[in-house]
Amino acid sequence: MTESFNTPPEVGRLKVKANIELVAGIVLAAAGFISLMKLIIDFFVYIEWYVNWGFPELVGKMLLFLALIVLGAVLIILGIRNNIFVKKYYEYAKFIETDPNRYISMLAVSVRESVQTTRKDIIKMIEIGFFPQMQLDASGMKLICYGMNVNGAEIKSVQDELIEVKCGSCGAVSKVPKEYNGLCEYCGSPLLKNETEDA
């Protein structure tokens, strides 16, 4: 059985932000480039005046127009990156909806990325609210979906279902889901049920 995820508003907001960055970047870069080209043409037309009296003004205007081009380029890059991130969210969401296991390694294979890249992007998406009912397990290798517990009661947050687990081998304490049966994230030893305490 798979869950259906509604696209959170944070995704739409990032998409809008990305488009604003792209438009603003294109406008600034174009304005800076056109102004710089006009200045260069003016320089050659009035070269004697610029050489004798207007050189400081020429340098100042060139720096201003170059700054506009650079700022525009930065905004364009940010807009492209944010659009790619939004597109990646939809690819991840499609996989998560259809794969009940939700292993990061399998997600990475499906989107043709390294496991490290996929895990980093998933963590960022969870932090900014793209997957409000999801969290990586303690091993960092599997996504856990929250929403309804085993009794059918609604879980209002991830923290509602976390307990503290003390590793019997290294003594490290981690917060993990109640149903977690896996390995210690610090030493890799199995975590046993009798090592858990309510958070």
Short mmCIF file of all heavy atoms in Angstrom, two decimals, residues 41-85:
data_model
loop_
_atom_site.label_atom_id
_atom_site.label_comp_id
_atom_site.label_asym_id
_atom_site.label_seq_id
_atom_site.Cartn_x
_atom_site.Cartn_y
_atom_site.Cartn_z
N ILE A 41 30.83 51.96 -27.16
CA ILE A 41 30.65 52.68 -28.43
C ILE A 41 30.88 54.18 -28.24
O ILE A 41 31.57 54.83 -29.03
CB ILE A 41 29.24 52.40 -29.00
CG1 ILE A 41 29.12 50.93 -29.41
CG2 ILE A 41 28.95 53.32 -30.19
CD1 ILE A 41 27.71 50.50 -29.77
N ASP A 42 30.31 54.72 -27.16
CA ASP A 42 30.51 56.14 -26.86
C ASP A 42 31.98 56.47 -26.65
O ASP A 42 32.45 57.54 -27.04
CB ASP A 42 29.71 56.54 -25.61
CG ASP A 42 28.22 56.66 -25.88
OD1 ASP A 42 27.84 56.67 -27.07
OD2 ASP A 42 27.44 56.71 -24.91
N PHE A 43 32.70 55.54 -26.04
CA PHE A 43 34.12 55.77 -25.79
C PHE A 43 34.87 55.96 -27.10
O PHE A 43 35.71 56.86 -27.23
CB PHE A 43 34.71 54.60 -24.99
CG PHE A 43 36.20 54.67 -24.86
CD1 PHE A 43 36.81 55.56 -24.00
CD2 PHE A 43 37.01 53.84 -25.64
CE1 PHE A 43 38.19 55.62 -23.89
CE2 PHE A 43 38.39 53.89 -25.53
CZ PHE A 43 38.99 54.78 -24.66
N PHE A 44 34.59 55.10 -28.07
CA PHE A 44 35.30 55.20 -29.34
C PHE A 44 34.84 56.41 -30.16
O PHE A 44 35.61 56.97 -30.94
CB PHE A 44 35.15 53.91 -30.14
CG PHE A 44 35.98 52.78 -29.61
CD1 PHE A 44 35.38 51.71 -28.95
CD2 PHE A 44 37.35 52.79 -29.74
CE1 PHE A 44 36.14 50.67 -28.46
CE2 PHE A 44 38.14 51.76 -29.25
CZ PHE A 44 37.53 50.70 -28.61
N VAL A 45 33.58 56.83 -29.99
CA VAL A 45 33.09 58.01 -30.69
C VAL A 45 33.69 59.28 -30.09
O VAL A 45 34.08 60.20 -30.81
CB VAL A 45 31.54 58.06 -30.65
CG1 VAL A 45 31.03 59.40 -31.20
CG2 VAL A 45 30.96 56.90 -31.43
N TYR A 46 33.76 59.31 -28.75
CA TYR A 46 34.27 60.50 -28.06
C TYR A 46 35.56 60.17 -27.32
O TYR A 46 35.76 60.60 -26.18
CB TYR A 46 33.22 61.03 -27.07
CG TYR A 46 31.87 61.28 -27.68
CD1 TYR A 46 30.81 60.40 -27.48
CD2 TYR A 46 31.67 62.41 -28.48
CE1 TYR A 46 29.58 60.65 -28.06
CE2 TYR A 46 30.43 62.66 -29.05
CZ TYR A 46 29.38 61.77 -28.84
OH TYR A 46 28.17 62.01 -29.43
N ILE A 47 36.43 59.46 -27.97
CA ILE A 47 37.64 58.94 -27.31
C ILE A 47 38.52 60.06 -26.76
O ILE A 47 39.09 59.93 -25.67
CB ILE A 47 38.42 58.02 -28.28
CG1 ILE A 47 39.58 57.37 -27.52
CG2 ILE A 47 38.91 58.78 -29.50
CD1 ILE A 47 40.22 56.24 -28.32
N GLU A 48 38.62 61.16 -27.50
CA GLU A 48 39.49 62.25 -27.04
C GLU A 48 38.97 62.85 -25.74
O GLU A 48 39.74 63.12 -24.81
CB GLU A 48 39.57 63.33 -28.12
CG GLU A 48 40.55 64.44 -27.77
CD GLU A 48 40.67 65.47 -28.87
OE1 GLU A 48 40.28 65.17 -30.02
OE2 GLU A 48 41.14 66.58 -28.57
N TRP A 49 37.64 63.03 -25.66
CA TRP A 49 37.07 63.61 -24.44
C TRP A 49 37.26 62.67 -23.24
O TRP A 49 37.63 63.09 -22.15
CB TRP A 49 35.58 63.89 -24.65
CG TRP A 49 34.95 64.55 -23.44
CD1 TRP A 49 34.92 65.88 -23.15
CD2 TRP A 49 34.29 63.87 -22.36
NE1 TRP A 49 34.28 66.09 -21.95
CE2 TRP A 49 33.88 64.86 -21.44
CE3 TRP A 49 34.01 62.53 -22.07
CZ2 TRP A 49 33.21 64.57 -20.26
CZ3 TRP A 49 33.34 62.24 -20.90
CH2 TRP A 49 32.94 63.24 -20.00
N TYR A 50 36.98 61.38 -23.47
CA TYR A 50 37.13 60.41 -22.37
C TYR A 50 38.57 60.31 -21.90
O TYR A 50 38.84 60.21 -20.70
CB TYR A 50 36.63 59.03 -22.82
CG TYR A 50 35.13 58.85 -22.67
CD1 TYR A 50 34.31 58.74 -23.80
CD2 TYR A 50 34.53 58.79 -21.42
CE1 TYR A 50 32.94 58.57 -23.68
CE2 TYR A 50 33.16 58.62 -21.29
CZ TYR A 50 32.37 58.52 -22.41
OH TYR A 50 31.01 58.36 -22.29
N VAL A 51 39.52 60.35 -22.84
CA VAL A 51 40.93 60.23 -22.47
C VAL A 51 41.39 61.44 -21.67
O VAL A 51 42.12 61.32 -20.68
CB VAL A 51 41.81 60.02 -23.72
CG1 VAL A 51 43.29 60.16 -23.37
CG2 VAL A 51 41.53 58.66 -24.34
N ASN A 52 40.94 62.63 -22.09
CA ASN A 52 41.42 63.86 -21.45
C ASN A 52 40.65 64.24 -20.19
O ASN A 52 41.25 64.73 -19.22
CB ASN A 52 41.36 65.02 -22.45
CG ASN A 52 42.35 64.83 -23.58
OD1 ASN A 52 43.45 64.33 -23.36
ND2 ASN A 52 41.98 65.21 -24.79
N TRP A 53 39.32 64.03 -20.20
CA TRP A 53 38.52 64.53 -19.07
C TRP A 53 37.59 63.48 -18.44
O TRP A 53 37.28 63.57 -17.26
CB TRP A 53 37.66 65.72 -19.53
CG TRP A 53 38.47 66.87 -20.01
CD1 TRP A 53 39.17 67.78 -19.26
CD2 TRP A 53 38.68 67.23 -21.37
NE1 TRP A 53 39.80 68.69 -20.05
CE2 TRP A 53 39.52 68.39 -21.37
CE3 TRP A 53 38.26 66.72 -22.61
CZ2 TRP A 53 39.93 69.01 -22.54
CZ3 TRP A 53 38.66 67.36 -23.77
CH2 TRP A 53 39.49 68.48 -23.74
N GLY A 54 37.14 62.53 -19.21
CA GLY A 54 36.08 61.64 -18.71
C GLY A 54 36.51 60.25 -18.31
O GLY A 54 35.66 59.35 -18.16
N PHE A 55 37.82 60.05 -18.11
CA PHE A 55 38.28 58.69 -17.79
C PHE A 55 37.72 58.17 -16.45
O PHE A 55 37.27 57.02 -16.37
CB PHE A 55 39.81 58.63 -17.78
CG PHE A 55 40.34 57.24 -17.69
CD1 PHE A 55 40.27 56.36 -18.78
CD2 PHE A 55 40.89 56.76 -16.50
CE1 PHE A 55 40.75 55.06 -18.69
CE2 PHE A 55 41.36 55.47 -16.40
CZ PHE A 55 41.30 54.61 -17.50
N PRO A 56 37.72 58.97 -15.36
CA PRO A 56 37.13 58.48 -14.10
C PRO A 56 35.66 58.12 -14.24
O PRO A 56 35.19 57.12 -13.69
CB PRO A 56 37.32 59.66 -13.14
CG PRO A 56 38.47 60.42 -13.70
CD PRO A 56 38.34 60.29 -15.19
N GLU A 57 34.93 58.94 -15.01
CA GLU A 57 33.52 58.64 -15.25
C GLU A 57 33.36 57.34 -16.03
O GLU A 57 32.48 56.52 -15.74
CB GLU A 57 32.87 59.79 -16.02
CG GLU A 57 31.39 59.56 -16.31
CD GLU A 57 30.79 60.68 -17.13
OE1 GLU A 57 31.42 61.75 -17.26
OE2 GLU A 57 29.68 60.47 -17.67
N LEU A 58 34.24 57.12 -17.01
CA LEU A 58 34.20 55.89 -17.80
C LEU A 58 34.41 54.66 -16.92
O LEU A 58 33.67 53.68 -17.00
CB LEU A 58 35.29 55.95 -18.88
CG LEU A 58 35.48 54.68 -19.71
CD1 LEU A 58 34.28 54.46 -20.61
CD2 LEU A 58 36.76 54.76 -20.53
N VAL A 59 35.42 54.73 -16.06
CA VAL A 59 35.73 53.60 -15.17
C VAL A 59 34.57 53.33 -14.22
O VAL A 59 34.18 52.18 -13.99
CB VAL A 59 37.04 53.86 -14.39
CG1 VAL A 59 37.26 52.77 -13.35
CG2 VAL A 59 38.22 53.93 -15.35
N GLY A 60 34.01 54.40 -13.65
CA GLY A 60 32.90 54.24 -12.72
C GLY A 60 31.70 53.57 -13.36
O GLY A 60 31.08 52.67 -12.79
N LYS A 61 31.36 54.03 -14.57
CA LYS A 61 30.22 53.44 -15.28
C LYS A 61 30.48 51.99 -15.66
O LYS A 61 29.59 51.14 -15.56
CB LYS A 61 29.90 54.27 -16.52
CG LYS A 61 29.24 55.60 -16.23
CD LYS A 61 28.89 56.34 -17.51
CE LYS A 61 28.16 57.63 -17.24
NZ LYS A 61 27.84 58.36 -18.48
N MET A 62 31.70 51.71 -16.09
CA MET A 62 32.04 50.32 -16.45
C MET A 62 31.89 49.40 -15.25
O MET A 62 31.34 48.30 -15.37
CB MET A 62 33.47 50.25 -17.00
CG MET A 62 33.62 50.80 -18.40
SD MET A 62 35.28 50.56 -19.08
CE MET A 62 35.29 48.78 -19.27
N LEU A 63 32.38 49.82 -14.09
CA LEU A 63 32.26 49.00 -12.87
C LEU A 63 30.79 48.79 -12.50
O LEU A 63 30.40 47.69 -12.09
CB LEU A 63 33.02 49.66 -11.72
CG LEU A 63 34.55 49.68 -11.84
CD1 LEU A 63 35.16 50.45 -10.69
CD2 LEU A 63 35.10 48.25 -11.88
N LEU A 64 29.98 49.84 -12.65
CA LEU A 64 28.56 49.73 -12.32
C LEU A 64 27.87 48.73 -13.24
O LEU A 64 27.12 47.85 -12.79
CB LEU A 64 27.89 51.10 -12.44
CG LEU A 64 26.36 51.12 -12.29
CD1 LEU A 64 25.96 50.62 -10.90
CD2 LEU A 64 25.82 52.52 -12.56
N PHE A 65 28.14 48.83 -14.53
CA PHE A 65 27.48 47.95 -15.49
C PHE A 65 27.97 46.50 -15.34
O PHE A 65 27.18 45.56 -15.48
CB PHE A 65 27.71 48.46 -16.91
CG PHE A 65 27.15 49.84 -17.16
CD1 PHE A 65 27.75 50.70 -18.07
CD2 PHE A 65 26.03 50.29 -16.47
CE1 PHE A 65 27.23 51.97 -18.29
CE2 PHE A 65 25.50 51.55 -16.68
CZ PHE A 65 26.11 52.40 -17.59
N LEU A 66 29.24 46.33 -15.04
CA LEU A 66 29.77 44.98 -14.79
C LEU A 66 29.13 44.38 -13.54
O LEU A 66 28.83 43.18 -13.51
CB LEU A 66 31.29 45.02 -14.65
CG LEU A 66 32.08 45.21 -15.94
CD1 LEU A 66 33.56 45.44 -15.64
CD2 LEU A 66 31.92 44.01 -16.86
N ALA A 67 28.92 45.22 -12.52
CA ALA A 67 28.27 44.74 -11.29
C ALA A 67 26.85 44.29 -11.59
O ALA A 67 26.38 43.27 -11.05
CB ALA A 67 28.26 45.84 -10.23
N LEU A 68 26.13 45.02 -12.45
CA LEU A 68 24.77 44.61 -12.83
C LEU A 68 24.79 43.26 -13.55
O LEU A 68 23.94 42.41 -13.31
CB LEU A 68 24.14 45.67 -13.74
CG LEU A 68 23.70 46.98 -13.07
CD1 LEU A 68 23.19 47.96 -14.12
CD2 LEU A 68 22.62 46.73 -12.02
N ILE A 69 25.77 43.08 -14.43
CA ILE A 69 25.87 41.82 -15.16
C ILE A 69 26.14 40.67 -14.20
O ILE A 69 25.52 39.60 -14.29
CB ILE A 69 26.97 41.90 -16.23
CG1 ILE A 69 26.58 42.91 -17.32
CG2 ILE A 69 27.24 40.53 -16.85
CD1 ILE A 69 27.68 43.22 -18.31
N VAL A 70 27.08 40.88 -13.27
CA VAL A 70 27.41 39.82 -12.31
C VAL A 70 26.23 39.50 -11.41
O VAL A 70 25.90 38.32 -11.18
CB VAL A 70 28.63 40.25 -11.46
CG1 VAL A 70 28.85 39.27 -10.31
CG2 VAL A 70 29.88 40.33 -12.32
N LEU A 71 25.55 40.52 -10.90
CA LEU A 71 24.38 40.31 -10.05
C LEU A 71 23.29 39.57 -10.81
O LEU A 71 22.66 38.64 -10.29
CB LEU A 71 23.84 41.64 -9.53
CG LEU A 71 22.60 41.58 -8.64
CD1 LEU A 71 22.86 40.73 -7.41
CD2 LEU A 71 22.16 42.99 -8.24
N GLY A 72 23.07 39.96 -12.06
CA GLY A 72 22.08 39.27 -12.89
C GLY A 72 22.44 37.81 -13.09
O GLY A 72 21.58 36.93 -13.00
N ALA A 73 23.73 37.54 -13.34
CA ALA A 73 24.17 36.15 -13.54
C ALA A 73 23.97 35.32 -12.28
O ALA A 73 23.54 34.16 -12.35
CB ALA A 73 25.64 36.14 -13.96
N VAL A 74 24.24 35.91 -11.12
CA VAL A 74 24.06 35.20 -9.85
C VAL A 74 22.58 34.85 -9.66
O VAL A 74 22.23 33.72 -9.27
CB VAL A 74 24.57 36.04 -8.67
CG1 VAL A 74 24.14 35.43 -7.34
CG2 VAL A 74 26.09 36.16 -8.72
N LEU A 75 21.69 35.81 -9.93
CA LEU A 75 20.25 35.55 -9.78
C LEU A 75 19.78 34.49 -10.77
O LEU A 75 18.95 33.64 -10.43
CB LEU A 75 19.47 36.85 -9.99
CG LEU A 75 19.56 37.88 -8.86
CD1 LEU A 75 18.87 39.18 -9.26
CD2 LEU A 75 18.94 37.32 -7.58
N ILE A 76 20.30 34.51 -11.98
CA ILE A 76 19.94 33.49 -12.97
C ILE A 76 20.36 32.10 -12.49
O ILE A 76 19.60 31.13 -12.57
CB ILE A 76 20.57 33.81 -14.33
CG1 ILE A 76 19.90 35.04 -14.94
CG2 ILE A 76 20.44 32.62 -15.29
CD1 ILE A 76 20.60 35.58 -16.17
N ILE A 77 21.58 32.01 -11.96
CA ILE A 77 22.08 30.72 -11.45
C ILE A 77 21.22 30.23 -10.29
O ILE A 77 20.85 29.04 -10.23
CB ILE A 77 23.55 30.84 -11.02
CG1 ILE A 77 24.44 31.06 -12.26
CG2 ILE A 77 24.01 29.60 -10.26
CD1 ILE A 77 25.86 31.43 -11.94
N LEU A 78 20.88 31.14 -9.37
CA LEU A 78 20.02 30.75 -8.24
C LEU A 78 18.65 30.29 -8.72
O LEU A 78 18.10 29.30 -8.22
CB LEU A 78 19.87 31.93 -7.27
CG LEU A 78 21.08 32.29 -6.43
CD1 LEU A 78 20.83 33.56 -5.63
CD2 LEU A 78 21.45 31.14 -5.49
N GLY A 79 18.09 30.99 -9.69
CA GLY A 79 16.78 30.62 -10.22
C GLY A 79 16.81 29.25 -10.88
O GLY A 79 15.91 28.43 -10.68
N ILE A 80 17.86 28.99 -11.65
CA ILE A 80 17.99 27.69 -12.31
C ILE A 80 18.14 26.59 -11.27
O ILE A 80 17.50 25.52 -11.36
CB ILE A 80 19.19 27.69 -13.28
CG1 ILE A 80 18.90 28.61 -14.47
CG2 ILE A 80 19.51 26.28 -13.76
CD1 ILE A 80 20.09 28.83 -15.38
N ARG A 81 18.99 26.82 -10.26
CA ARG A 81 19.19 25.81 -9.21
C ARG A 81 17.91 25.52 -8.45
O ARG A 81 17.60 24.36 -8.15
CB ARG A 81 20.30 26.27 -8.25
CG ARG A 81 21.69 26.24 -8.86
CD ARG A 81 22.74 26.73 -7.91
NE ARG A 81 22.82 25.91 -6.71
CZ ARG A 81 23.63 26.15 -5.68
NH1 ARG A 81 24.41 27.21 -5.71
NH2 ARG A 81 23.63 25.36 -4.65
N ASN A 82 17.15 26.56 -8.12
CA ASN A 82 15.89 26.35 -7.40
C ASN A 82 14.86 25.62 -8.26
O ASN A 82 14.11 24.79 -7.75
CB ASN A 82 15.34 27.69 -6.90
CG ASN A 82 16.09 28.21 -5.68
OD1 ASN A 82 16.64 27.43 -4.90
ND2 ASN A 82 16.13 29.52 -5.54
N ASN A 83 14.83 25.93 -9.54
CA ASN A 83 13.92 25.21 -10.44
C ASN A 83 14.30 23.74 -10.54
O ASN A 83 13.42 22.86 -10.56
CB ASN A 83 13.92 25.85 -11.84
CG ASN A 83 12.85 26.92 -11.98
OD1 ASN A 83 11.74 26.78 -11.48
ND2 ASN A 83 13.17 28.00 -12.66
N ILE A 84 15.58 23.47 -10.61
CA ILE A 84 16.06 22.08 -10.64
C ILE A 84 15.68 21.36 -9.35
O ILE A 84 15.27 20.19 -9.36
CB ILE A 84 17.58 22.03 -10.87
CG1 ILE A 84 17.92 22.49 -12.30
CG2 ILE A 84 18.14 20.63 -10.63
CD1 ILE A 84 19.39 22.65 -12.57
N PHE A 85 15.79 22.06 -8.22
CA PHE A 85 15.46 21.47 -6.92
C PHE A 85 13.97 21.13 -6.85
O PHE A 85 13.59 20.07 -6.33
CB PHE A 85 15.84 22.44 -5.80
CG PHE A 85 15.95 21.81 -4.46
CD1 PHE A 85 16.94 20.89 -4.18
CD2 PHE A 85 15.04 22.13 -3.46
CE1 PHE A 85 17.04 20.30 -2.92
CE2 PHE A 85 15.14 21.54 -2.20
CZ PHE A 85 16.14 20.62 -1.94
#
